[in-house]
Amino acid sequence: MSERGLNTVSFAGHAAASAQFKALYAEGMGLVEETASYLDGHGRAASKVLPRMASVLYAAESMRLTTRLMQMASWLLLQRAVNNGEMTRDQVLSEKNKVRLDSFNVDRTAPGWSDLPEGFRDLIDRSLRLQNRVALLDREIYRPQEAGSFVPDNQNGVKAQLNLLQTAFGAN
């Protein structure tokens, strides 16, 4: 490794420990709480009156949504722990291998999708956008050699890079 490499600055590392990360963390945890409240309240009532196909899809998407949010929450908690000095980077890397941030697929053409409650579809969309931001930040922090080649489903490379910049600098 050259001396030059020793002096590089990781902008993603700074972003992960910044006020922007705190905002991302708050947004993620807020979405977890909002989703739990929705699924236990209004969503439960709305799901009982759905047509059969939409009801089956609602059950499947509810599980995917909660799984996606729990994976993101786990990543955010790990990153907060390393930022606060509660865990080393190596400890986080070991635990992080259990976290999956790569399930971006949602079939909006599935039978029953348009019958799903609008609030539920909104939670899914917001969770996917947040997951994309977290996954981009994860790749930038922990696998910078892969960050340039990562293109999430349904997005082009330019949009993925813009999302990374928005994540890093807190723009929305």
Side-chain angles (χ1 to χ4, degrees):
M1 183 176 209
S2 71
E3 285 183 33
R4 180 175 232 211
L6 296 174
N7 295 325
T8 60
V9 175
S10 169
F11 292 108
H14 276 296
S18 68
Q20 288 82 13
F21 172 78
K22 289 176 185 167
L24 181 67
Y25 179 87
E27 180 182 347
M29 294 305 172
L31 188 56
V32 168
E33 288 179 31
E34 181 181 348
T35 300
S37 176
Y38 175 86
L39 293 175
D40 285 340
H42 183 72
R44 185 179 307 245
S47 70
K48 291 181 181 184
V49 298
L50 291 174
R52 179 159 167 60
M53 289 301 286
S55 181
V56 171
L57 184 59
Y58 182 91
E61 289 300 331
S62 294
M63 290 184 350
R64 287 186 192 111
L65 175 60
T66 55
T67 300
R68 182 181 311 116
L69 289 172
M70 289 303 104
Q71 294 296 310
M72 281 188 292
S74 295
W75 188 92
L76 290 167
L77 288 166
L78 285 170
Q79 189 59 47
R80 186 180 73 170
V82 79
N83 290 351
N84 292 340
E86 299 163 3
M87 293 177 78
T88 67
R89 181 179 168 94
D90 288 340
Q91 289 171 319
V92 168
L93 285 172
S94 174
E95 290 300 312
K96 211 177 77 48
N97 290 331
K98 301 171 189 171
V99 177
R100 294 190 47 107
L101 298 171
D102 58 357
S103 54
F104 292 93
N105 296 327
V106 169
D107 185 3
R108 290 176 177 83
T109 64
W113 179 263
S114 60
D115 293 325
L116 294 175
E118 186 177 339
F120 181 67
R121 288 181 296 177
D122 179 61
L123 289 170
I124 291 170
D125 289 341
R126 289 170 48 209
S127 75
L128 289 168
R129 285 192 303 270
L130 184 63
Q131 180 183 35
N132 183 37
R133 290 168 49 208
V134 169
L136 287 168
L137 188 56
D138 175 73
R139 281 173 175 78
E140 187 65 23
I141 294 169
Y142 295 103
R143 293 171 289 200
Q145 70 280 7
E146 295 176 20
S149 63
F150 174 65
V151 180
D153 290 356
N154 302 320
Q155 291 194 356
N156 63 42
V158 173
K159 186 168 184 178
Q161 289 301 312
L162 287 173
N163 285 339
L164 179 59
L165 289 170
Q166 289 173 339
T167 299
F169 297 104
N172 286 321

